[in-house]
Amino acid sequence: MPLSIRRALTETRSGLGPPPVLLREGWFLEPVAPPARPLWIWGAGHVGRALTAVLAPLPGIGITWIDTAAQRFPSDLPEGVLPRIAPDPAALVPQAPANAHHLVLTHSHALDFALCHALLGHGFASAGLIGSDSKWARFRTRLGQLGHSPAEIARICCPIGQKSLGKHPQAIAIGVAAALLSEGVEGIAARDIAG
């Protein structure tokens, strides 16, 4: 596959824009479906794996999946999922489209916090954070100390999932998927997610 075709596919899968019409070295690229809404999943642990497995087959969602190390991803990624490896995932936030939806669920509270701070500075369609009420209270206080207004901070939904379904990774994924199906992609950070 020519490099220009690979780059165009990568940009499209990353949510950076619709695929262009290209003819290169006998390869033809053209859009055949409406562009997917970008969903960035930050973290490839148990919950990230469950979310990706449940959400990847849903139509109209283009998933970019980010983690700090390649070995954290499963050996067989769901079709259409674009993995990104970054030692400092928060540095990738500027590459996310402004209309992207985000689910933050890394292995580190410090990294989760850095991502929330970066997302608030960048902008997003919606953002959800995995965690307890006490984790979110600490994050709200610290984000406020960094200059984010209460209204900005309130745009991040924590915790994600539906509390009534439990804390099992697949239960969280089902809760997020249910919100997506009932309210559209905007449902990631909707009131139903909070339980």
Side-chain angles (χ1 to χ4, degrees):
M1 181 182 304
L3 181 60
S4 59
I5 298 287
R6 278 196 312 242
R7 281 185 182 152
L9 287 173
T10 299
E11 288 176 4
T12 299
R13 290 176 181 148
S14 297
L16 299 176
V21 176
L22 288 177
L23 176 60
R24 298 285 190 275
E25 300 175 35
W27 288 75
F28 183 63
L29 176 68
E30 69 175 330
V32 294
R37 290 185 176 186
L39 170 61
W40 287 45
I41 298 176
W42 302 87
H46 297 303
V47 177
R49 288 172 182 235
L51 280 164
T52 302
V54 169
L55 297 172
L58 295 176
I61 299 175
I63 297 176
T64 301
W65 196 8
I66 304 98
D67 207 303
T68 56
Q71 64 269 22
R72 294 187 52 84
F73 291 101
S75 58
D76 55 335
L77 290 172
E79 186 176 335
V81 173
L82 176 67
R84 302 280 306 266
I85 300 154
D88 177 14
L92 290 183
V93 168
Q95 296 178 24
N99 67 335
H101 303 270
H102 299 269
L103 294 170
V104 177
L105 34 109
T106 74
H107 61 281
S108 160
H109 283 223
L111 185 50
D112 287 351
F113 181 79
L115 284 163
C116 289
H117 175 56
L119 287 169
L120 287 170
H122 176 67
F124 51 85
S126 69
L129 171 67
I130 197 163
S132 65
D133 292 334
S134 60
K135 173 184 174 178
W136 184 228
R138 287 190 308 274
F139 275 32
R140 280 194 315 265
T141 299
R142 292 179 59 206
L143 290 167
Q145 292 168 346
L146 290 175
H148 300 290
S149 74
E152 291 171 331
I153 297 167
R155 292 191 61 219
I156 298 175
C157 178
C158 182
I160 60 169
Q162 295 177 10
K163 287 183 181 181
S164 63
L165 297 177
K167 296 180 180 180
H168 191 277
Q170 279 72 22
I172 293 169
I174 289 168
V176 171
L180 289 171
L181 292 172
S182 65
E183 299 184 28
V185 177
E186 292 79 8
I188 289 173
R191 58 184 154 32
D192 288 349
I193 291 292

